[in-house]
Amino acid sequence: MINFKQEIAKQIAKASNLDEKELETYIEIPKDVKNGDYAFPCFRLAKELKKAPPQIANEIKDKLVINEIMIEKVEVLGGYLNFYINRQVLTKEVLAEMADNEKYGKSELGKGKTIIIEYSSPNIAKPFHIGHLRTTVIGATLYNIYKYLGYHTIGMNHLGDYGTQFGKLIEGYKRWGNEYNLEDNPIQELMKIYVRINDLCKEDETVLEACRENFRLLEQKDAYCVDLWERFKEVSLKEFQKVYDMLGIQFDSIIGESFYIDKMDKVYELLEQANVLQESEGAQIVNLEDKGLGVCMIKKSNGSSIYVTRDLAAIRYRAQTYDFDKCLYVVAYEQALHFKQLFEVAQYLDIPEKCKKGLRHVQYGMTRLSTGKMSTREGNVIKVEDLLTEAISRVEDVIKEKNPEMENPEVEGKKIGIGAIIFHNLANTIIKDQVFDWDNVLNFQGETGPYIQYTYVRTKSVLEKTGYLPKAEEIKVEKLLDEYSQAVIKLIYSFQDSLLQVTQKDEPSILARYLIDLAKAFSSFYNENKIITEDKELQDARVYLTYSVGKVLKIGASLLGIEMPNKM
Ligand code: ARG
């Protein structure tokens, strides 16, 4: 498709002798179509050129040589240059691109670039909580979008399977293992053991000592301890897998922190060589105070490794294995300091410069519950599996009431319930905290997953009613020049750009927002324009546009990990 933005940047570059790539980033899409389809603000140039923005705008305009077929007119308004593109050309472009294209918006732009996306990363023997749900959903979306844009993408799950708490769990299990059933509800049971042994440790110093000894034995690969630990891992993973299956999530690599244990000596060695390792109260640290990042502990005084050190070893491993251009960590903002320290210390590793530069913490906010209803007795830990199951059953109830004849309420209920939860996690700027409220999440008319699905189903039923799909090449573009059709066409045109923006900012909510905008634009189009009309050419054009909206909604939703129902 013609890239109008690029074309405009190219012409401005010629008229102003400024850098085309940079200019392109300044170009905006005006909120009000009255101000054109694209706008170039001259404010940032004012300082450099020592002129008032309106003057700059006029001077550029005088020198511009525009392609009149693509761009109808250019106007100066205040400090802006407003571009009005030719709607017939735009419409033709969109229709041609849409024709027989099941992968609309796909690109090879990322070819040759490798991106690791680390997401989910729950902890063994601990609940998969609502925060893990969020990283899972955000990470999977980023994964899908990078892949769609042609990047070589690797999805990694960095399981928390190491730490001194396993010494305690082993001790607890040794004492009371046969009282607990690890088969049905492993994590809940392991948590009970953990709480019990912890209490005992507080009372009895010798028990604590035994726990420490277990951890030491585990580190030395004692068969009994390793076996038990493997078992805890296995039952936990089985439980996590249930959630992944419900969400339709997969990983290319699942590696626990324990994998890096024998890869840490090299990290100590490199830091020593770089002369940054210091001793402090028996522990080994890197002092980052001059960077305002405090002190980063690398090795405890008793010699055991820590979280950040395993992360350092993981960075080396990833650089060696994948030679990545970017490595994204989708982790809650609570760990911001950890990642700042990690990336700072990683500068001393023996990995390529591009890997060092490509490390990025993608931070997301917390999820709070609007009511106490979902919280369990032991506090605010909600089992994600229960949450998903509840979403599905709530949707099924609504379906049974609204549409009692529906054939497979369970199948559609699952897509809608899960879709609602996924969408809710992506609907707003991810760093913001969010409130979980059932009425909001499942509202078919709100800015929700079900609303997108509902709009999709509407496009389907229009096509069913008309019973045919016209050929794209036969559509008369003149029939789609009204305001409502154009609003839809412009959005369809910008689909790929919204995907690009997601990757530029690592902000999947841009796509979620886009889908809401498209669904709303379609609703207005549908309410204002009769689709079935006497004018066959007009009808064909509108049917085709309806079909196109359905297609883009479906592709977009699937990139978010949401399946479309056939009926609602
Ligand atoms: N397992 C950790 C947690 O649940 C998250 C791990 C994040 N990833 C990392 N490379 N440190 O809090």
Short mmCIF file of all heavy atoms in Angstrom, two decimals, residues 118-124 127 129 132 135 158-161 257 307-308 310-311 314 318 329-332 335 338-339 342 364, ligand 1:
data_model
loop_
_atom_site.label_atom_id
_atom_site.label_comp_id
_atom_site.label_asym_id
_atom_site.label_seq_id
_atom_site.Cartn_x
_atom_site.Cartn_y
_atom_site.Cartn_z
N GLU A 118 10.40 -12.37 27.37
CA GLU A 118 10.25 -13.20 28.54
C GLU A 118 8.98 -12.81 29.24
O GLU A 118 8.78 -11.64 29.57
CB GLU A 118 11.47 -13.00 29.46
CG GLU A 118 11.48 -14.00 30.60
CD GLU A 118 12.06 -13.43 31.86
OE1 GLU A 118 13.28 -13.33 31.97
OE2 GLU A 118 11.26 -13.10 32.76
N TYR A 119 8.11 -13.77 29.47
CA TYR A 119 6.84 -13.44 30.13
C TYR A 119 6.33 -14.63 30.95
O TYR A 119 6.85 -15.73 30.83
CB TYR A 119 5.80 -12.99 29.11
CG TYR A 119 5.50 -13.94 27.98
CD1 TYR A 119 4.32 -14.66 27.94
CD2 TYR A 119 6.40 -14.10 26.92
CE1 TYR A 119 4.02 -15.52 26.88
CE2 TYR A 119 6.12 -14.95 25.87
CZ TYR A 119 4.93 -15.66 25.85
OH TYR A 119 4.65 -16.50 24.81
N SER A 120 5.36 -14.33 31.78
CA SER A 120 4.72 -15.28 32.69
C SER A 120 5.62 -15.56 33.90
O SER A 120 5.42 -15.01 34.96
CB SER A 120 4.33 -16.58 31.99
OG SER A 120 3.32 -17.21 32.73
N SER A 121 6.62 -16.44 33.75
CA SER A 121 7.61 -16.69 34.80
C SER A 121 7.07 -16.81 36.22
O SER A 121 7.48 -16.09 37.12
CB SER A 121 8.68 -15.58 34.76
OG SER A 121 9.17 -15.39 33.47
N PRO A 122 6.13 -17.73 36.44
CA PRO A 122 5.61 -17.91 37.81
C PRO A 122 6.62 -18.67 38.67
O PRO A 122 7.65 -19.13 38.17
CB PRO A 122 4.36 -18.77 37.59
CG PRO A 122 4.66 -19.55 36.34
CD PRO A 122 5.51 -18.65 35.48
N ASN A 123 6.32 -18.77 39.95
CA ASN A 123 7.21 -19.45 40.88
C ASN A 123 6.66 -20.82 41.27
O ASN A 123 5.49 -20.94 41.62
CB ASN A 123 7.40 -18.59 42.13
CG ASN A 123 7.95 -17.22 41.77
OD1 ASN A 123 8.85 -17.11 40.96
ND2 ASN A 123 7.37 -16.18 42.36
N ILE A 124 7.54 -21.80 41.25
CA ILE A 124 7.18 -23.16 41.63
C ILE A 124 6.66 -23.19 43.07
O ILE A 124 7.18 -22.49 43.93
CB ILE A 124 8.44 -24.06 41.54
CG1 ILE A 124 8.94 -24.13 40.11
CG2 ILE A 124 8.20 -25.45 42.10
CD1 ILE A 124 7.98 -24.67 39.12
N PRO A 127 1.28 -19.79 44.20
CA PRO A 127 0.13 -19.61 43.30
C PRO A 127 0.48 -18.80 42.04
O PRO A 127 1.31 -17.91 42.08
CB PRO A 127 -0.88 -18.83 44.16
CG PRO A 127 -0.39 -18.91 45.54
CD PRO A 127 1.08 -19.17 45.51
N HIS A 129 -0.71 -16.10 40.26
CA HIS A 129 -1.69 -15.08 40.66
C HIS A 129 -2.05 -14.14 39.52
O HIS A 129 -1.56 -14.26 38.40
CB HIS A 129 -1.22 -14.35 41.91
CG HIS A 129 0.12 -13.69 41.77
ND1 HIS A 129 0.33 -12.63 40.92
CD2 HIS A 129 1.32 -13.96 42.35
CE1 HIS A 129 1.60 -12.26 41.00
NE2 HIS A 129 2.23 -13.07 41.85
N HIS A 132 0.65 -12.63 37.49
CA HIS A 132 1.21 -13.54 36.48
C HIS A 132 0.30 -13.64 35.27
O HIS A 132 0.76 -13.80 34.15
CB HIS A 132 1.45 -14.94 37.08
CG HIS A 132 2.55 -14.98 38.09
ND1 HIS A 132 2.36 -15.41 39.37
CD2 HIS A 132 3.85 -14.60 38.01
CE1 HIS A 132 3.51 -15.31 40.04
NE2 HIS A 132 4.42 -14.82 39.24
N THR A 135 1.26 -10.55 33.05
CA THR A 135 2.48 -10.68 32.25
C THR A 135 2.28 -11.71 31.13
O THR A 135 2.76 -11.55 30.02
CB THR A 135 3.75 -11.04 33.08
OG1 THR A 135 4.59 -11.91 32.32
CG2 THR A 135 3.46 -11.69 34.38
N HIS A 158 10.66 -17.85 32.29
CA HIS A 158 11.78 -17.94 33.23
C HIS A 158 11.22 -18.35 34.59
O HIS A 158 10.96 -17.52 35.46
CB HIS A 158 12.42 -16.55 33.29
CG HIS A 158 13.67 -16.40 34.10
ND1 HIS A 158 14.89 -16.86 33.69
CD2 HIS A 158 13.89 -15.78 35.29
CE1 HIS A 158 15.82 -16.53 34.60
NE2 HIS A 158 15.23 -15.89 35.59
N LEU A 159 11.03 -19.65 34.76
CA LEU A 159 10.38 -20.15 35.97
C LEU A 159 11.19 -19.88 37.24
O LEU A 159 12.39 -20.11 37.27
CB LEU A 159 10.23 -21.67 35.88
CG LEU A 159 9.16 -22.28 35.01
CD1 LEU A 159 9.25 -23.79 35.14
CD2 LEU A 159 7.79 -21.79 35.42
N GLY A 160 10.50 -19.46 38.28
CA GLY A 160 11.16 -19.29 39.57
C GLY A 160 11.21 -20.64 40.27
O GLY A 160 10.28 -21.02 40.96
N ASP A 161 12.28 -21.38 40.06
CA ASP A 161 12.32 -22.73 40.64
C ASP A 161 13.52 -22.89 41.59
O ASP A 161 14.00 -23.98 41.81
CB ASP A 161 12.41 -23.78 39.53
CG ASP A 161 13.72 -23.70 38.75
OD1 ASP A 161 14.48 -22.74 38.98
OD2 ASP A 161 13.98 -24.59 37.93
N GLU A 257 15.14 -20.90 36.83
CA GLU A 257 16.34 -20.20 37.33
C GLU A 257 17.44 -21.18 37.68
O GLU A 257 18.63 -20.87 37.57
CB GLU A 257 15.97 -19.36 38.55
CG GLU A 257 15.09 -18.17 38.22
CD GLU A 257 14.80 -17.30 39.44
OE1 GLU A 257 15.66 -17.22 40.34
OE2 GLU A 257 13.70 -16.72 39.50
N TYR A 307 18.85 -14.00 43.08
CA TYR A 307 17.99 -13.73 41.94
C TYR A 307 18.71 -12.97 40.83
O TYR A 307 18.74 -13.39 39.67
CB TYR A 307 16.82 -12.93 42.51
CG TYR A 307 15.69 -12.55 41.58
CD1 TYR A 307 15.08 -13.50 40.75
CD2 TYR A 307 15.21 -11.24 41.57
CE1 TYR A 307 14.02 -13.14 39.95
CE2 TYR A 307 14.15 -10.88 40.76
CZ TYR A 307 13.56 -11.83 39.94
OH TYR A 307 12.50 -11.46 39.15
N VAL A 308 19.33 -11.86 41.20
CA VAL A 308 19.94 -11.01 40.17
C VAL A 308 21.11 -11.72 39.48
O VAL A 308 21.31 -11.56 38.27
CB VAL A 308 20.37 -9.64 40.77
CG1 VAL A 308 21.60 -9.78 41.62
CG2 VAL A 308 20.59 -8.61 39.68
N ARG A 310 21.41 -14.94 38.98
CA ARG A 310 20.86 -15.92 38.03
C ARG A 310 20.38 -15.19 36.78
O ARG A 310 20.52 -15.68 35.66
CB ARG A 310 19.73 -16.71 38.69
CG ARG A 310 20.22 -17.54 39.89
CD ARG A 310 19.19 -18.53 40.38
NE ARG A 310 18.13 -17.95 41.18
CZ ARG A 310 18.20 -17.72 42.50
NH1 ARG A 310 19.31 -18.00 43.17
NH2 ARG A 310 17.18 -17.20 43.15
N ASP A 311 19.86 -13.99 36.96
CA ASP A 311 19.44 -13.19 35.81
C ASP A 311 20.64 -12.77 34.94
O ASP A 311 20.53 -12.71 33.72
CB ASP A 311 18.69 -11.94 36.28
CG ASP A 311 17.17 -12.10 36.14
OD1 ASP A 311 16.74 -12.84 35.24
OD2 ASP A 311 16.42 -11.48 36.93
N ALA A 314 21.59 -15.64 32.97
CA ALA A 314 20.57 -15.88 31.93
C ALA A 314 20.80 -14.93 30.74
O ALA A 314 20.63 -15.33 29.58
CB ALA A 314 19.17 -15.68 32.49
N ARG A 318 21.37 -16.18 26.99
CA ARG A 318 20.48 -15.76 25.91
C ARG A 318 21.27 -15.09 24.78
O ARG A 318 20.97 -15.29 23.61
CB ARG A 318 19.42 -14.79 26.45
CG ARG A 318 18.44 -15.49 27.36
CD ARG A 318 17.52 -14.50 28.05
NE ARG A 318 16.71 -15.20 29.04
CZ ARG A 318 15.74 -14.65 29.74
NH1 ARG A 318 15.43 -13.38 29.55
NH2 ARG A 318 15.05 -15.36 30.61
N TYR A 329 11.61 -7.95 29.09
CA TYR A 329 11.18 -8.61 30.32
C TYR A 329 9.82 -8.04 30.69
O TYR A 329 9.74 -6.88 31.09
CB TYR A 329 12.15 -8.32 31.45
CG TYR A 329 13.53 -8.90 31.26
CD1 TYR A 329 14.47 -8.27 30.46
CD2 TYR A 329 13.90 -10.09 31.90
CE1 TYR A 329 15.74 -8.80 30.30
CE2 TYR A 329 15.17 -10.63 31.74
CZ TYR A 329 16.09 -9.98 30.94
OH TYR A 329 17.34 -10.50 30.78
N VAL A 330 8.79 -8.84 30.55
CA VAL A 330 7.46 -8.35 30.91
C VAL A 330 7.23 -8.69 32.38
O VAL A 330 6.86 -9.82 32.73
CB VAL A 330 6.37 -8.99 30.03
CG1 VAL A 330 5.01 -8.39 30.36
CG2 VAL A 330 6.71 -8.80 28.55
N VAL A 331 7.53 -7.74 33.24
CA VAL A 331 7.49 -7.96 34.69
C VAL A 331 6.89 -6.71 35.36
O VAL A 331 7.11 -5.60 34.90
CB VAL A 331 8.90 -8.24 35.25
CG1 VAL A 331 8.86 -8.56 36.74
CG2 VAL A 331 9.59 -9.38 34.51
N ALA A 332 6.16 -6.91 36.46
CA ALA A 332 5.50 -5.82 37.17
C ALA A 332 6.46 -4.68 37.52
O ALA A 332 7.65 -4.90 37.71
CB ALA A 332 4.86 -6.35 38.45
N GLN A 335 9.31 -4.43 40.26
CA GLN A 335 10.70 -4.90 40.11
C GLN A 335 11.57 -3.94 39.31
O GLN A 335 12.63 -4.32 38.80
CB GLN A 335 10.71 -6.30 39.48
CG GLN A 335 10.05 -7.34 40.38
CD GLN A 335 10.39 -8.77 39.99
OE1 GLN A 335 11.46 -9.06 39.47
NE2 GLN A 335 9.47 -9.68 40.26
N HIS A 338 15.20 -3.70 40.47
CA HIS A 338 15.92 -4.93 40.13
C HIS A 338 16.42 -4.87 38.68
O HIS A 338 17.59 -5.16 38.41
CB HIS A 338 15.02 -6.15 40.32
CG HIS A 338 15.53 -7.40 39.66
ND1 HIS A 338 16.56 -8.15 40.19
CD2 HIS A 338 15.19 -8.01 38.50
CE1 HIS A 338 16.82 -9.18 39.38
NE2 HIS A 338 15.99 -9.11 38.35
N PHE A 339 15.55 -4.49 37.76
CA PHE A 339 15.96 -4.50 36.35
C PHE A 339 16.93 -3.37 36.02
O PHE A 339 17.82 -3.54 35.20
CB PHE A 339 14.74 -4.50 35.43
CG PHE A 339 14.11 -5.87 35.37
CD1 PHE A 339 12.94 -6.15 36.07
CD2 PHE A 339 14.71 -6.90 34.67
CE1 PHE A 339 12.39 -7.43 36.05
CE2 PHE A 339 14.17 -8.18 34.64
CZ PHE A 339 13.00 -8.44 35.34
N LEU A 342 20.12 -4.75 37.24
CA LEU A 342 20.52 -5.87 36.38
C LEU A 342 21.13 -5.37 35.07
O LEU A 342 22.21 -5.81 34.66
CB LEU A 342 19.29 -6.75 36.10
CG LEU A 342 19.48 -7.87 35.08
CD1 LEU A 342 20.44 -8.93 35.60
CD2 LEU A 342 18.13 -8.53 34.75
N TYR A 364 4.40 -3.35 33.93
CA TYR A 364 2.94 -3.25 33.94
C TYR A 364 2.46 -3.02 35.38
O TYR A 364 3.16 -3.33 36.35
CB TYR A 364 2.29 -4.50 33.33
CG TYR A 364 2.56 -5.76 34.09
CD1 TYR A 364 1.80 -6.13 35.19
CD2 TYR A 364 3.62 -6.60 33.73
CE1 TYR A 364 2.07 -7.29 35.90
CE2 TYR A 364 3.90 -7.75 34.43
CZ TYR A 364 3.12 -8.09 35.51
OH TYR A 364 3.39 -9.22 36.22
N1 ARG B 1 9.44 -15.31 39.10
C1 ARG B 1 9.38 -13.88 39.31
C2 ARG B 1 8.11 -13.51 40.04
O1 ARG B 1 7.12 -14.19 39.96
C3 ARG B 1 9.42 -13.11 38.04
C4 ARG B 1 10.64 -13.33 37.18
C5 ARG B 1 10.91 -12.18 36.27
N2 ARG B 1 11.95 -12.41 35.35
C6 ARG B 1 13.26 -12.27 35.56
N3 ARG B 1 14.08 -12.55 34.60
N4 ARG B 1 13.72 -11.85 36.73
O2 ARG B 1 8.08 -12.48 40.70
#
